[in-house]
Amino acid sequence: MLMGSILMDRGVITEEQLEQALDLQSRSNLRLGEILVLLHFTEEAVITKCLSEQFDLPLADLSQVTPSSRALDIVPCSYALSRMFLPVELLDNTLTAVIADPTDLELPEDVAGKTGLRLSLSLAPPSQLLETIARCYVITAEELHPNPVDERQQDAA
């Protein structure tokens, strides 16, 4: 079942809201869930729960996740940020990780190909995953979201 239908069946969104979001989606590069959140029709956590059911992936409670240094060492910070991929635990030949986008079918294949490991994936809301990646790799808010005004001022100096 498609996300829009699931959300309508559960009374999260109306048919009119779905039509509005689908119209906007046809004119943008955004995913339906992103649009529904941007339009304040639902919350990111609701979209993530729906995706977890659609793709049969467990939800990760990031407040309870403490990645091992061994797992973090396997995946460079730049990769983790660009692909929204948080390695959590390495056990035997399996890397447990949290992702935000289960529709990125190339991601598991890419990681498995680069590491030679099997993957066990769970899902988390993108904003929470980004914050957790930043915390685990010790990235400051300034590094995560540089202020373009500050950069222009530095360039002018």
Side-chain angles (χ1 to χ4, degrees):
M1 186 178 264
L2 297 175
M3 180 185 301
S5 299
I6 293 170
L7 294 173
M8 278 190 356
D9 288 350
R10 293 184 180 166
V12 174
I13 60 171
T14 65
E15 186 174 351
E16 293 77 27
Q17 289 172 323
L18 177 59
E19 288 173 9
Q20 184 181 351
L22 288 171
D23 178 56
L24 187 56
Q25 183 185 30
S26 71
R27 297 180 279 129
S28 74
N29 290 328
L30 298 174
R31 293 187 169 93
L32 180 61
E34 292 171 316
I35 292 169
L36 292 169
V37 171
L38 286 171
L39 294 174
H40 302 286
F41 292 160
T42 190
E43 296 178 1
E44 190 180 53
V46 173
I47 298 299
T48 302
K49 186 172 183 346
C50 184
L51 287 170
S52 83
E53 292 169 13
Q54 268 188 296
F55 288 87
D56 195 27
L57 287 172
L59 285 172
D61 179 357
L62 293 176
S63 68
Q64 302 298 314
V65 170
T66 304
S68 71
S69 58
R70 191 170 161 213
L72 291 172
D73 287 345
I74 292 171
V75 178
C77 176
S78 58
Y79 188 89
L81 285 170
S82 67
R83 299 302 297 267
M84 294 294 287
F85 180 89
L86 178 65
V88 176
E89 178 101 41
L90 179 60
L91 207 56
D92 298 324
N93 198 33
T94 301
L95 179 62
T96 302
V98 182
I99 61 172
D101 181 7
T103 66
D104 184 354
L105 301 178
E106 293 173 1
L107 177 61
E109 197 173 290
D110 187 42
V111 173
K114 288 180 178 179
T115 64
L117 300 169
R118 289 180 303 196
L119 295 178
S120 174
L121 300 174
S122 59
L123 199 59
S127 63
Q128 290 178 19
L129 183 56
L130 182 61
E131 288 174 15
T132 305
I133 291 170
R135 178 177 46 81
C136 292
Y137 283 95
V138 192
I139 302 168
T140 66
E142 292 78 26
E143 290 173 307
L144 198 56
H145 303 289
N147 186 341
V149 174
D150 290 345
E151 289 176 9
R152 282 182 286 199
Q153 289 172 348
Q154 288 176 355
D155 289 344

